[in-house]
Amino acid sequence: MELALPNDVLLLVGEQLEQKADCWNLVFVSRHFHDLFLSFVYRRVSLRDWHDASSFLYAILNRPVLARAVRELDWRDWHAKGLSEDQRKEITESTHLKEWLHVVSHSDIENQQWTEDLGQGLGDAWAALILPLLSQLRKLQLSYASTSPWLDRIMQRAIQCERPFVSQPPFKCLQEVSLHHRNDLDRGDTWGAREEHQSASTLLMPFFSLPSVRVITADSVVDPSTAITSPEQTTQNLRVGFSSITEIDLRSSSGNHGMEALVSSCADLKSFKYQHSDSHVLSHGYQPSAFYRSLAHSKKSLQTLWLDHYGSHFPFTAGGLNQSHDEWFGSLADFTALRELRVRLPNLLDIRYQNEPPTPLLECLPSSLATLYIEGCEERNLGMLVSQLQVVIKNRRTRFPGLNRIDIEGAFQNVRSDDDGATSSPGPEISDGVIKDKVFQAAEPLHIDCSNAGMELYLHDRTLLTF
């Protein structure tokens, strides 16, 4: 019996299926449906261990059309399981694997080392072997270890168009990349001791050289300008305005030099989000002025800026006493495309040595601003901030016509102090889990002004819900 619908129509129906289980059901309807819809199953691939990776590699080597069907690869849930002797033998004796390793490897020694690491279930070895086959990949989500030599190596070869990337441009369709560092994947000292930042920065930087990539998300990145890399790992210097990336999101990272090598390489950076962490060995503390210098290249294009969103700061860092994290970022008035700003109060206004900032908030904000989220407001500074914001709202019509929402976050939760001055959990006579009444009272004039101007105002304590 002939199908009533042509293949083109059936494929359009299949494209509307979001659940992978539904795609599998279509595959098993008939041989015709199997051939027609099998590629849909391979559009979004999630690999969790060596068995998944081995089966997937065998499938795409045996049927290259399936490799071309892959649009998203998710490696975030990888588990480095130990292999039995029989399982290792199965890997080392695989004909398909041997043939592909012969194509990818640049020497017999490398081939042997790669085979050994595959047999140990190491994620970066499997990932580096699979990635060159996925020519139509759009989205990549990778978990990586402190030392990920195979991923480093394959990405270096990609940007240098070395084997196996000789016949076609590497990752020509890749648009979005997420890199997640996981200590539990560390391999020990197999490849020799390395500093933690080397893998993060060297693995990240090659993606800035791929012309199709637009979005980068990564964590545990130490500023590439700080990194000291070996010659075989050194990436080409990124020129100013060279990269097509428009969105950067760096979490739990340390930008001692404002991530200058990354930020300045972007020709049209629209979104930059940065969360600082002093937990890295080479961290010298958060230095906002360094980010001001690096982001100056993007004053005309940047639309979203998050600086140090809920970052972590230690009293002492490798650079000594950690005082620089309270440094003023500088005026944002020249960032003429900026619509969303999230920043800590000491970085928004210069209040290190005085109660009132020498440069008022009115002169620090761009006229394009739509939402303003201020973090880290101490209770003693709330009155000053309310006063500064009232001036902004008063001039909203002429200076900030698009401003429609303000958020203020700080340590506003109810706590009580013992007689000796030590802070303890609130007792039954004080309501727990709420923002203090006097905080609401201090913010009430601003609330009235916002209401009259048709704006939204929210107070936050990071340990509580939004009020």
Side-chain angles (χ1 to χ4, degrees), residues 188-394:
D189 59 357
T190 303
W191 285 74
R194 300 187 183 189
E195 295 291 340
E196 62 165 328
H197 66 276
Q198 287 186 293
S199 177
S201 59
T202 57
L203 182 58
L204 178 70
M205 293 179 71
F207 290 104
F208 280 73
S209 296
L210 299 178
S212 61
V213 177
R214 297 293 182 270
V215 181
I216 283 281
T217 300
D219 58 34
S220 301
V221 178
V222 173
D223 203 317
S225 304
T226 307
I228 303 173
T229 54
S230 55
E232 65 270 17
Q233 289 181 312
T234 301
T235 309
Q236 67 181 53
N237 293 328
L238 297 178
R239 302 184 300 275
V240 174
F242 171 78
S243 176
S244 59
I245 288 176
T246 59
E247 299 181 31
I248 301 176
D249 187 349
L250 304 178
R251 305 168 185 176
S252 298
S253 298
S254 179
N256 296 336
H257 300 281
M259 299 293 180
E260 173 76 15
L262 303 181
V263 175
S264 64
S265 72
C266 301
D268 189 31
L269 186 63
K270 297 184 184 303
S271 176
F272 182 76
K273 297 179 180 180
Y274 172 78
Q275 180 190 57
H276 184 80
S277 175
D278 280 332
S279 62
H280 303 284
V281 173
L282 295 181
S283 177
H284 288 190
Y286 177 42
Q287 302 180 41
S289 60
F291 284 92
Y292 184 88
R293 290 191 295 271
S294 62
L295 289 168
H297 302 286
S298 306
K299 283 184 176 181
K300 306 303 180 184
S301 63
L302 197 65
Q303 298 175 11
T304 298
L305 176 60
W306 289 21
L307 282 173
D308 195 27
H309 167 54
Y310 288 172
S312 63
H313 305 272
F314 298 159
F316 293 91
T317 66
L321 187 63
N322 189 8
Q323 294 177 331
S324 61
H325 69 274
D326 281 340
E327 184 179 6
W328 184 37
F329 174 81
S331 174
L332 288 153
D334 292 337
F335 287 74
T336 54
L338 192 62
R339 292 185 51 79
E340 180 183 355
L341 174 62
R342 186 161 188 160
V343 63
R344 297 174 66 250
L345 176 59
N347 307 144
L348 176 63
L349 295 173
D350 188 5
I351 55 173
R352 286 176 295 172
Y353 307 115
Q354 56 274 317
N355 294 326
E356 293 290 334
T359 303
L361 183 60
L362 187 70
E363 305 300 327
C364 293
L365 301 178
S367 60
S368 56
L369 200 62
T371 62
L372 174 62
Y373 195 117
I374 303 171
E375 288 186 21
C377 176
E378 296 183 14
E379 191 175 336
R380 62 186 176 88
N381 291 322
L382 183 58
M384 176 275 297
L385 178 58
V386 166
S387 177
Q388 292 283 326
L389 287 169
Q390 284 183 290
V391 176
V392 169
I393 295 173
K394 182 180 179 180

Side-chain angles (χ1 to χ4, degrees), residues 14 106 133 151 199 337:
H106 286 200
L133 294 165
L151 283 171
S199 177

Side-chain angles (χ1 to χ4, degrees), residues 125-169:
W126 282 102
L129 199 61
I130 289 172
L131 283 175
L133 294 165
L134 309 181
S135 61
Q136 301 299 310
L137 190 65
R138 265 65 165 175
K139 182 177 181 179
L140 174 62
Q141 296 174 290
L142 273 179
S143 288
Y144 66 94
S146 294
T147 52
S148 298
W150 294 113
L151 283 171
D152 287 345
R153 185 171 297 182
I154 206 69
M155 290 309 303
Q156 291 292 329
R157 290 175 182 174
I159 63 173
Q160 294 168 10
C161 294
E162 297 178 351
R163 192 164 53 117
F165 301 101
V166 176
S167 60
Q168 61 180 354

